[in-house]
Amino acid sequence: MSLWLSGIGVSRGFAIARIQKLHGGDLEAPEYTLEDDRVEPEIARFYSAVQRAREQLRQVRSQIPVGTPGDVGAFIDTHLLMMDDRSITEATVQLIRDQKLNAEAALRRSRDALTAVFEQMDDAYLRTRKDDVEHVCGRILRILLKSERQLPVKGDGPETGIIVADDITPADIILLAQQNVAAFVTEYGGPLSHTAILARSLGIPAIVGLRDARKLLRDSEWAIVDGELGHLIADPDPDTIAAYRAKQAAQAAYRAGLVKLKGEPAISHDGVRCHLLANIEMAADAAEATANGAEGVGLYRTEFLYMNRKSLPTEEEQYDAYASIVSVVKGPITIRTLDLGADKQVDSGRSQGPTPNNPALGLRAIRLCLKEPELFRTQVRALLRASRHGHMQIMLPMISSLQEFRQALALIDDVRDGLLREGHTLAQDVPVGAMIEVPAAAIAAPILARQARFFSIGTNDLIQYTLAIDRVDDEVNYLYDPLHPAVLRLIQMTIDAGVQAGIPVAMCGEMAGDPKYTRLLLGLGLTEFSMHPANVLEIKRIIRDAPVNDLRRRVRRLMVSTDIQEMQELIAGLDA
Ligand code: PEP
Ligand code: MG
């Protein structure tokens, strides 16, 4: 008889395959006291396990296929860095030495102390860092216990099965992805968990938070995974299998159709030319962007250069990174200056004061850069020097006033003068634009448009600040609504201000890559969309079918409505 289970669908797609449970989730670590003369050998045993774990991770890192999205490797880099973290290694060695504890028990204690700190954090994203600690310590523990997890190997068919586990480490996900697993199902984790992020990046259907999955499912039984709805159907009946086979076929046909659009322009049904750009975070993503037919990069988040390291990146390091990325991107590339703070905390050796009560409203992004001009100057020098390698624009995040924009502009001009005096060759024109992600900037857009050469609407933050909901707080997630009339009006005001001033307006928040909103955004007058590279072809499909002029008329009507019911009906009607 079929068994229907529900978890959180975090990566779209369907799989029909056999269950393969990953065993060995819960590790029993023995605890005992060491004789005096066993202490030093125990420390040596611990260090050699850490070394072995490091080698394993380096090996996984080297196996990541070319063209894999950059965030996949970044997870492994984080874990490699953690292997050197004093709160894990030194704390454990100290426990072995001071309390004469065996290595397994000492490591378990330092892990528990560290995860307790992460659990108390208010920030939902930082709370997920607890997973990193557990994965890193779990790997070392398995080596100490000689109980390393055996991953399934490729079965008879083209795919291995549906992997069901308590939790899966990023390294195991990468190895399993190379075995063409059909889907991932984990008992723990939420939409921000590593499994969720990596599965989406790798395009593998996944369900997380499916409690007791290993207890309820049998090894080798057939099952269906619906990664969109979060359903797992064990032992499905023939009718359900047939229905899902049809869905799989329809999806495959749709995807095949999309691939054909790669070389086609993003011109609407009635001839309006649009531009589709990619959001990227590291050089490896640029290849994915081009492979998906993006015309350029609309947002390069530079924070990644500052993450997972103990010192700030030097000007030369940054220059190398920007120059290489600018030269590989065909078409324009918009590089956003540092957006540190709030949900993007890194230390990179910077001295940090006490955690502010409201980091999202505090010293982040351009505010931080203006407060620490040397940090900003170093980045701007590297950017301007790299500008001659391609078609670069500089974008300033979290602008909230004209004064702030002018101050940043003056600093950039000063850096440019200095570089020219030093004899550097720079691109003749590097437009500087503003990210519109604070309501104040959207409302004052006509004023900002006199100085900014372009706008890019960051809906992720614009929605957070407009609706006063912390974007990483699970408790208020349900309020996050891109269709809120206030959000739509701010988007419209920004687009209108850009049109009036004759400057381009793009959108680089998640909304731009969500097919649900494409026709509405076209109706609001948007023509530049920047998104995760994987979404480019789907959005192109919608644009090519869209009657933009008609959508604009219909959206104008809905934007003057004060009846929420009518607005919702008009929005729903845009799909027809
Ligand atoms: C945004 O806020 O919409 C945006 C694109 O920037 P980030 O998500 O990096 O804050
Ligand atoms: Mg933002």
PDB file of all heavy atoms in Angstrom, residues 336 339 344 364 435 437 461 471, ligand 2:
ATOM      1  N   ARG A 336      28.759  45.148  -7.791  1.00  0.00           N
ATOM      2  CA  ARG A 336      28.267  45.850  -6.608  1.00  0.00           C
ATOM      3  C   ARG A 336      29.392  45.963  -5.587  1.00  0.00           C
ATOM      4  O   ARG A 336      30.077  44.991  -5.302  1.00  0.00           O
ATOM      5  CB  ARG A 336      27.099  45.081  -5.991  1.00  0.00           C
ATOM      6  CG  ARG A 336      26.604  45.710  -4.714  1.00  0.00           C
ATOM      7  CD  ARG A 336      25.394  45.030  -4.175  1.00  0.00           C
ATOM      8  NE  ARG A 336      25.721  43.763  -3.543  1.00  0.00           N
ATOM      9  CZ  ARG A 336      24.804  42.934  -3.052  1.00  0.00           C
ATOM     10  NH1 ARG A 336      23.527  43.225  -3.170  1.00  0.00           N
ATOM     11  NH2 ARG A 336      25.166  41.819  -2.471  1.00  0.00           N
ATOM     12  N   ASP A 339      28.766  44.753   0.243  1.00  0.00           N
ATOM     13  CA  ASP A 339      27.489  44.821   0.957  1.00  0.00           C
ATOM     14  C   ASP A 339      27.607  43.984   2.221  1.00  0.00           C
ATOM     15  O   ASP A 339      26.897  42.999   2.381  1.00  0.00           O
ATOM     16  CB  ASP A 339      26.362  44.309   0.038  1.00  0.00           C
ATOM     17  CG  ASP A 339      24.988  44.448   0.678  1.00  0.00           C
ATOM     18  OD1 ASP A 339      24.871  45.141   1.694  1.00  0.00           O
ATOM     19  OD2 ASP A 339      24.025  43.859   0.152  1.00  0.00           O
ATOM     20  N   LYS A 344      24.931  39.436   5.839  1.00  0.00           N
ATOM     21  CA  LYS A 344      26.198  39.021   5.222  1.00  0.00           C
ATOM     22  C   LYS A 344      27.353  39.376   6.166  1.00  0.00           C
ATOM     23  O   LYS A 344      28.105  40.300   5.919  1.00  0.00           O
ATOM     24  CB  LYS A 344      26.370  39.709   3.878  1.00  0.00           C
ATOM     25  CG  LYS A 344      25.164  39.526   2.960  1.00  0.00           C
ATOM     26  CD  LYS A 344      25.361  40.232   1.654  1.00  0.00           C
ATOM     27  CE  LYS A 344      24.120  40.168   0.800  1.00  0.00           C
ATOM     28  NZ  LYS A 344      23.118  41.195   1.183  1.00  0.00           N
ATOM     29  N   ARG A 364      25.614  48.834   7.474  1.00  0.00           N
ATOM     30  CA  ARG A 364      25.868  47.831   6.440  1.00  0.00           C
ATOM     31  C   ARG A 364      26.081  48.520   5.099  1.00  0.00           C
ATOM     32  O   ARG A 364      25.811  49.705   4.939  1.00  0.00           O
ATOM     33  CB  ARG A 364      24.743  46.783   6.352  1.00  0.00           C
ATOM     34  CG  ARG A 364      23.406  47.296   5.881  1.00  0.00           C
ATOM     35  CD  ARG A 364      22.421  46.161   5.620  1.00  0.00           C
ATOM     36  NE  ARG A 364      22.682  45.512   4.341  1.00  0.00           N
ATOM     37  CZ  ARG A 364      21.751  44.866   3.632  1.00  0.00           C
ATOM     38  NH1 ARG A 364      20.514  44.781   4.083  1.00  0.00           N
ATOM     39  NH2 ARG A 364      22.039  44.320   2.478  1.00  0.00           N
ATOM     40  N   MET A 435      21.682  51.069  -6.143  1.00  0.00           N
ATOM     41  CA  MET A 435      20.723  49.998  -5.922  1.00  0.00           C
ATOM     42  C   MET A 435      19.548  50.621  -5.205  1.00  0.00           C
ATOM     43  O   MET A 435      19.730  51.390  -4.253  1.00  0.00           O
ATOM     44  CB  MET A 435      21.352  48.930  -5.033  1.00  0.00           C
ATOM     45  CG  MET A 435      21.613  47.667  -5.781  1.00  0.00           C
ATOM     46  SD  MET A 435      22.191  46.391  -4.724  1.00  0.00           S
ATOM     47  CE  MET A 435      20.879  45.208  -4.895  1.00  0.00           C
ATOM     48  N   GLU A 437      16.952  49.765  -2.876  1.00  0.00           N
ATOM     49  CA  GLU A 437      16.499  48.688  -2.005  1.00  0.00           C
ATOM     50  C   GLU A 437      16.023  49.198  -0.645  1.00  0.00           C
ATOM     51  O   GLU A 437      15.699  48.431   0.241  1.00  0.00           O
ATOM     52  CB  GLU A 437      17.582  47.616  -1.857  1.00  0.00           C
ATOM     53  CG  GLU A 437      18.962  48.123  -1.575  1.00  0.00           C
ATOM     54  CD  GLU A 437      20.007  47.000  -1.546  1.00  0.00           C
ATOM     55  OE1 GLU A 437      19.649  45.822  -1.625  1.00  0.00           O
ATOM     56  OE2 GLU A 437      21.192  47.330  -1.414  1.00  0.00           O
ATOM     57  N   ASP A 461      15.756  43.264  -0.411  1.00  0.00           N
ATOM     58  CA  ASP A 461      15.803  44.226   0.689  1.00  0.00           C
ATOM     59  C   ASP A 461      14.648  45.217   0.628  1.00  0.00           C
ATOM     60  O   ASP A 461      14.126  45.615   1.657  1.00  0.00           O
ATOM     61  CB  ASP A 461      17.146  44.975   0.687  1.00  0.00           C
ATOM     62  CG  ASP A 461      18.211  44.170   1.386  1.00  0.00           C
ATOM     63  OD1 ASP A 461      17.933  43.660   2.482  1.00  0.00           O
ATOM     64  OD2 ASP A 461      19.314  44.010   0.829  1.00  0.00           O
ATOM     65  N   ARG A 471      14.293  39.620   6.606  1.00  0.00           N
ATOM     66  CA  ARG A 471      14.231  38.612   5.546  1.00  0.00           C
ATOM     67  C   ARG A 471      14.785  37.255   5.960  1.00  0.00           C
ATOM     68  O   ARG A 471      14.569  36.264   5.278  1.00  0.00           O
ATOM     69  CB  ARG A 471      14.932  39.120   4.272  1.00  0.00           C
ATOM     70  CG  ARG A 471      16.398  39.323   4.417  1.00  0.00           C
ATOM     71  CD  ARG A 471      16.937  40.132   3.246  1.00  0.00           C
ATOM     72  NE  ARG A 471      17.684  39.329   2.310  1.00  0.00           N
ATOM     73  CZ  ARG A 471      18.475  39.811   1.360  1.00  0.00           C
ATOM     74  NH1 ARG A 471      18.600  41.118   1.213  1.00  0.00           N
ATOM     75  NH2 ARG A 471      19.136  39.035   0.562  1.00  0.00           N
TER      76      ARG A 471
HETATM   77 MG    MG B   2      20.199  43.816  -1.002  1.00  0.00          MG
END
